[in-house]
């Protein structure tokens, strides 16, 4: 059991090095509007507002649909900004922020967006939270609102939680939720070893995760709000839910009831379990593709970890990747697959894993990262954004790649090391 767990831990490892954050920006449009985000001169709650300003600016930048201006210009919330000065500096949009806090504790972000060229207020919206420590979600909601106003491709994923596991020490790992920048974080499972969290529903009320706090490694379903818990199944060697289909009725589970890990299909309504892969070695990390009719998974059936595909109701296995001899993690969205591949060691003697994008329908291959060790990729629901984990010099970070714009961003975790993540 220990040998299998150690090998799977290596396959699912989340050790990273530097990610190139200066990739060439490729935009769908020839130009994007330059926006200045400012805190009103008469605003209250300025400390939190300044944090919101930074987060909102980051969100607009991450979207790829706006350019953030670095100049400074402030005005009272109900006053018109200095149109002439802003126009002379090439500013197209001016976003003014203010806030108010009620006796009940409700915190409201107030926003006014001006079109400098039109000399007009074009959008005014307020956003309220009952928990001020979740202020970053007010920034996300405001960014999404502005993005939607211009009918740009959706960035609704910014308002979703990510769920992740963090190592705290030997035999200790907690499950946490947070926003995609890790500005907000909250522990939802603690005590013992808890790893491989996966959202169980679109509403983000329940999660699946693996715990080693029972006699055997056990897959648990947990409602993070009412704490309702259900044991799905256990296994001797290892167990993990690697994918959930769109309506939450089917799971792909890696389990090793007879000593070696294989991929199983679990139907949540009937609790029926069907073994898909049957190999004497290691099959892990199954992902649904092609409308749940096939799976992509990692296997060492050629001697090293590589990416394969197999029909749900078939025994025929297809090798998908002929690049490198160590491809240890993958994610899928419709017909697209992103996998992590071990490249040659860098000049400093460190490991180098890069992310590559392929399609099950074509022979295309696109390299997404240029250096470092990058693993645990996860597609957003719309398939336009990629989430991954990076650890460098003992610091874990969440990485975001905007696929249509070739832009990447890193958001570090202040303490602990990220083991796995989902959104």
């Amino acid at each position: 059991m220990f040998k299998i767990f150690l090998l799977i831990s290596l396959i699912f490892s989340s050790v990273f090095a530097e990610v190139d954050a200066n990739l060439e920006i490729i935009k769908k449009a020839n130009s994007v509007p330059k926006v200045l985000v400012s805190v009103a001169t008469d605003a209250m709650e300025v400390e939190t507002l300044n944090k919101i300003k930074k987060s909102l600016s980051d969100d607009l930048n991450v979207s790829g649909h706006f350019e953030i201006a670095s100049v400074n210009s402030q005005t009272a919330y109900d006053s018109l900004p200095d149109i002439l000065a802003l126009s002379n500096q090439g500013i197209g949009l001016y976003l003014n922020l203010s806030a108010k806090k009620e006796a009940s504790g409700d915190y409201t972000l107030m926003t006014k967006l001006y079109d400098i060229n039109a000399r007009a207020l074009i959008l005014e919206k307020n956003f309220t939270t009952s928990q001020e420590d979740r202020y970053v979600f007010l920034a996300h909601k405001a960014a999404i609102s502005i993005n939607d106003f211009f009918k740009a491709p959706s960035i609704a994923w910014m308002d979703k939680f990510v769920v992740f596991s963090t190592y705290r020490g030997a035999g200790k790992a907690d499950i946490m939720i947070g926003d995609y920048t890790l500005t907000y974080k909250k522990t939802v499972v603690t005590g013992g070893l808890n790893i491989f969290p996966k959202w169980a529903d679109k509403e983000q009320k329940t999660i699946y995760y693996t715990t080693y706090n029972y006699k055997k490694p056990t897959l648990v379903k947990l409602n993070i709000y009412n704490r309702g818990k259900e044991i799905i199944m256990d296994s001797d060697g290892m167990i993990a839910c690697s994918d959930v289909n769109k309506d939450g009725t089917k799971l792909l589970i890696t389990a090793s009831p007879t000593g070696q890990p294989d991929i199983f299909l679990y139907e949540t309504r009937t609790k029926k379990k069907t073994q898909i892969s049957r190999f004497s070695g290691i099959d892990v990390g199954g992902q649904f593709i092609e409308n749940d009719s096939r799976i992509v998974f990692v296997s060492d059936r050629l001697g090293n970890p590589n990416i394969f595909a197999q029909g749900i109701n078939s025994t025929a296995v297809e090798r998908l990747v002929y690049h490198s001899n160590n491809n240890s993690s993958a994610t899928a969205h419709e017909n697209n697959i992103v996998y992590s591949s071990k490249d040659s060691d860098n000049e400093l003697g460190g490991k180098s894993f890069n992310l590559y994008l392929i399609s099950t329908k074509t022979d295309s291959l696109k390299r997404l990262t240029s250096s470092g060790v990058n693993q645990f990729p996860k597609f957003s629901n719309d398939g336009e954004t990629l989430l991954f984990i990076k650890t460098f010099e003992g610091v874990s970070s969440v990485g975001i790649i905007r696929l249509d714009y070739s832009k990447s961003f890193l958001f570090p975790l202040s303490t602990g090391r990220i083991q796995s993540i989902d959104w």
Side-chain angles (χ1 to χ4, degrees), residues 39-40 42-49 52 77-78 97-111 124-132 135 138:
V39 173
D42 56 350
M44 306 294 289
E45 306 297 329
V46 175
E47 182 179 355
T48 300
L49 260 181
I52 291 175
Y77 189 67
D78 291 324
L97 308 179
S98 189
K100 60 182 178 181
K101 189 173 182 179
E102 306 293 346
S104 63
D106 285 358
Y107 186 96
T108 299
L109 169 67
M110 302 182 291
T111 69
E124 181 177 3
K125 277 195 172 184
N126 296 345
F127 306 88
T128 301
T129 180
S130 59
Q131 302 178 56
E132 189 175 344
Y135 68 85
L138 299 181

Side-chain angles (χ1 to χ4, degrees), residues 55-320:
S55 294
L56 215 166
S57 298
D58 288 344
D59 286 347
L60 294 175
N61 187 33
V62 169
S63 77
H65 307 146
F66 304 90
E67 179 184 350
I68 305 303
S70 58
V71 300
N72 183 45
S73 178
Q74 290 183 282
T75 187
Y77 189 67
D78 291 324
S79 298
L80 194 68
D82 189 338
I83 299 293
L84 181 58
L86 292 170
S87 180
N88 288 338
Q89 296 178 87
I91 307 300
L93 299 171
Y94 182 86
L95 180 62
N96 208 9
L97 308 179
S98 189
K100 60 182 178 181
K101 189 173 182 179
E102 306 293 346
S104 63
D106 285 358
Y107 186 96
T108 299
L109 169 67
M110 302 182 291
T111 69
K112 287 185 178 181
L113 182 67
Y114 294 87
D115 185 327
I116 299 304
N117 296 322
R119 299 172 177 263
L121 174 66
I122 58 173
L123 182 65
E124 181 177 3
K125 277 195 172 184
N126 296 345
F127 306 88
T128 301
T129 180
S130 59
Q131 302 178 56
E132 189 175 344
D133 64 339
R134 293 193 180 187
Y135 68 85
V136 69
F137 286 102
L138 299 181
H140 298 334
K141 291 179 188 296
I144 292 167
S145 174
I146 293 168
N147 188 78
D148 289 349
F149 177 80
F150 289 99
K151 296 181 172 58
S154 176
I155 54 171
W157 53 266
M158 289 185 177
D159 194 34
K160 297 292 186 179
F161 284 117
V162 296
V163 60
F164 55 100
S165 174
T166 58
Y167 282 124
R168 299 299 185 190
K172 297 179 181 179
D174 296 340
I175 306 293
M176 305 182 73
I177 60 171
D179 78 301
Y180 82 98
T181 69
L182 303 186
T183 301
Y184 172 81
K185 300 177 290 295
K186 180 180 180 180
T187 301
V188 294
V189 179
T190 189
L193 184 62
N194 308 285
I195 54 178
F196 300 128
K198 187 76 180 174
W199 287 113
D201 60 333
K202 291 181 179 179
E203 295 75 24
Q204 297 193 321
K205 293 181 178 179
T206 53
I207 62 172
Y208 296 104
Y209 70 96
T210 300
T211 181
Y212 284 77
N213 295 338
Y214 296 91
K215 291 182 178 179
K216 294 182 179 181
T218 303
L219 181 65
V220 174
K221 183 179 183 181
L222 173 72
N223 186 307
I224 62 176
Y225 292 96
N226 65 23
R227 312 305 299 173
K229 186 180 292 187
E230 175 188 358
I231 292 178
I232 302 301
M233 56 186 289
D234 59 23
S235 181
D236 285 323
M238 74 159 292
I239 190 166
C241 175
S242 57
D243 202 11
V244 180
N245 73 342
K246 289 184 178 180
D247 63 8
T249 60
K250 297 178 182 179
L251 315 179
L252 288 177
I253 297 173
T254 299
S256 50
T258 59
Q260 295 290 349
D262 279 298
I263 311 297
F264 293 80
L265 174 68
Y266 182 88
E267 299 179 52
T268 60
R269 292 170 179 167
T270 63
K271 303 187 185 304
K272 179 183 177 182
K273 180 178 65 175
T274 304
Q275 185 170 350
I276 300 176
S277 71
R278 297 178 182 275
F279 172 59
S280 59
I282 294 173
D283 291 341
V284 297
Q287 301 279 310
F288 288 110
I289 58 171
E290 299 177 13
N291 297 318
D292 302 344
S293 64
R294 302 177 76 205
I295 66 168
V296 168
F297 62 100
V298 178
S299 175
D300 71 344
R301 61 189 60 215
L302 296 181
N304 295 292
N306 210 338
I307 313 300
F308 297 84
Q310 179 180 337
I312 294 290
N313 299 309
S314 172
T315 58
V317 175
E318 175 189 1
R319 180 179 178 180
L320 293 181

Side-chain angles (χ1 to χ4, degrees), residues 246 287-292 294 296 331-337 358-361 379-383:
K246 289 184 178 180
Q287 301 279 310
F288 288 110
I289 58 171
E290 299 177 13
N291 297 318
D292 302 344
R294 302 177 76 205
V296 168
T331 184
H333 180 268
E334 296 178 351
N335 301 322
N336 294 318
I337 298 166
I358 62 173
S359 170
T360 60
K361 298 299 184 182
F379 274 110
S380 59
N381 288 335
D382 59 13

